[in-house]
Amino acid sequence: MYDIVIPTYGLKGAIMVDNLLYSISTFNNPSLSNIIISDDGTTNETTNILTSIQTTYNNIFNIKLSLNPKYNSF
C-alpha cells in the first residue's frame, strides 16, 4: 500500500489536481491507500474547489485535505 502527496497552490493548481485525479481514477490500483492534497494557503475559492474535488473522488480514493492558512503579505 502507498500514499500520494500532492502539493498545490492557487486556482491553476486545483485544476491540475482535478485533472491528475481523473487520470489516476482510470486505472485500477488496489495498492493505493490515500491521496493527500496539501494546499499552501490560497484563497477561499481554491479551498472550495479542492473540497468539491474531494467529494467527487472520495468514492474512488481516500482523499485527505491539508488546508493551510492564507499567507499574510508583507
Side-chain angles (χ1 to χ4, degrees), residues 37 49-59 63-65:
I37 301 170
I49 291 170
L50 291 174
T51 303
S52 175
I53 289 170
Q54 179 185 29
T55 302
T56 300
Y57 291 101
N58 220 23
N59 62 337
I63 297 177
K64 298 178 181 181
L65 290 178

Side-chain angles (χ1 to χ4, degrees), residues 24-41:
I24 294 171
S25 72
T26 63
F27 297 97
N28 181 14
N29 192 341
S31 297
L32 179 58
S33 180
N34 297 301
I35 295 180
I36 303 159
I37 301 170
S38 178
D39 177 59
D40 202 12

Side-chain angles (χ1 to χ4, degrees), residues 2-9 13 16-17 20-21 24 32-40 50 61-68:
Y2 60 92
D3 296 341
I4 296 175
V5 178
I6 306 170
T8 186
Y9 180 82
M16 289 174 27
V17 167
L20 175 64
L21 292 179
I24 294 171
L32 179 58
S33 180
N34 297 301
I35 295 180
I36 303 159
I37 301 170
S38 178
D39 177 59
D40 202 12
L50 291 174
F61 310 114
N62 182 23
I63 297 177
K64 298 178 181 181
L65 290 178
S66 174
L67 304 173
N68 296 303

